[in-house]
Amino acid sequence: MKNKGNDGKGDTPERDMWKTSDELWNKLNRQYHFMFDCCASKENTKTVEFSDNFEDVKKVYGVAWMNPPFSNARKMFEHFFKVVDKGVAIYRIDNPETRIWQEVIFPSAGWVFIPSGRVSYTPFDITIRGGMTRFPSALIGFNVPEVEGLNGVILKVSNLKEKGEIK
């Protein structure tokens, strides 16, 4: 089955096993030294410690990484913000007006980073758009310093909360 880009649905189960590119992962891991991969399998984990059933995890210590399955992203983000002390996640940001962004991510995150250009995921079919997705992605920081060394824009969500612009 061929992986599709953005077909209007963000919860496509075929995208659940897409993993973050090694290039992006290595840059982030140099800064954050991730200790736990929240939504991973033995085949696609980026860290030694990981969970293939994240909803059963009660507490995560150290800095966590999460690339949630698209088909279950809201539940994964709700759980991420409950059990992780600090971490970084990645998620599509083509629709920031959606409930997952408005009700879960924006109210909980410290910052959101929108990189310049598209993020590549594997095993995305490289014959489609040169291996890039059709949708933009964002990094979401929780109790960690802002991302460094990447081109893009940082939204300081904590500042918006203080000003009452986000509940």
Side-chain angles (χ1 to χ4, degrees):
M1 179 190 302
K2 204 177 234 190
N3 288 325
K4 295 180 182 179
N6 186 356
D7 60 4
K9 287 187 60 154
D11 60 355
T12 308
E14 291 83 22
R15 298 180 187 157
D16 284 355
M17 296 307 290
W18 286 8
K19 68 179 184 176
T20 311
S21 72
D22 288 339
E23 179 183 3
L24 177 60
W25 165 258
N26 290 336
K27 287 179 183 178
L28 294 170
N29 195 40
R30 275 193 292 277
Q31 179 178 354
Y32 297 109
H33 309 284
F34 296 110
M35 298 184 69
F36 189 82
D37 194 341
C38 297
C39 300
S41 67
K42 186 176 182 179
E43 294 76 33
N44 74 0
T45 187
K46 294 287 191 182
T47 62
V48 174
E49 297 291 324
F50 68 94
S51 176
D52 60 1
N53 191 4
F54 185 51
E55 288 180 283
D56 287 345
V57 173
K58 302 293 184 219
K59 188 71 176 163
V60 175
Y61 300 97
V63 183
W65 167 253
M66 185 174 75
N67 180 352
F70 284 142
S71 67
N72 200 16
R74 183 181 176 113
K75 281 185 179 180
M76 295 300 102
F77 271 103
E78 288 171 342
H79 196 64
F80 179 82
F81 291 122
K82 285 180 189 171
V83 303
V84 169
D85 285 332
K86 49 190 170 180
V88 177
I90 191 168
Y91 190 61
R92 61 186 292 158
I93 190 165
D94 53 341
N95 296 313
E97 76 284 0
T98 58
R99 282 190 250 160
I100 187 172
W101 279 98
Q102 296 291 318
E103 296 173 2
V104 181
I105 297 172
F106 285 136
S108 300
W111 52 262
V112 174
F113 176 79
I114 304 169
S116 299
R118 304 288 182 183
V119 170
S120 69
Y121 296 86
T122 56
F124 191 76
D125 185 341
I126 63 169
T127 63
I128 301 172
R129 297 175 50 91
M132 297 293 155
T133 61
R134 292 183 190 167
F135 55 82
S137 298
L139 297 171
I140 297 114
F142 180 64
N143 295 331
V144 293
E146 295 171 7
V147 67
E148 298 174 353
L150 296 175
N151 293 325
V153 175
I154 290 267
L155 303 173
K156 296 180 182 181
V157 181
S158 56
N159 290 351
L160 296 175
K161 289 179 209 170
E162 290 169 10
K163 293 178 184 176
E165 295 178 32
I166 293 179
K167 293 182 181 182

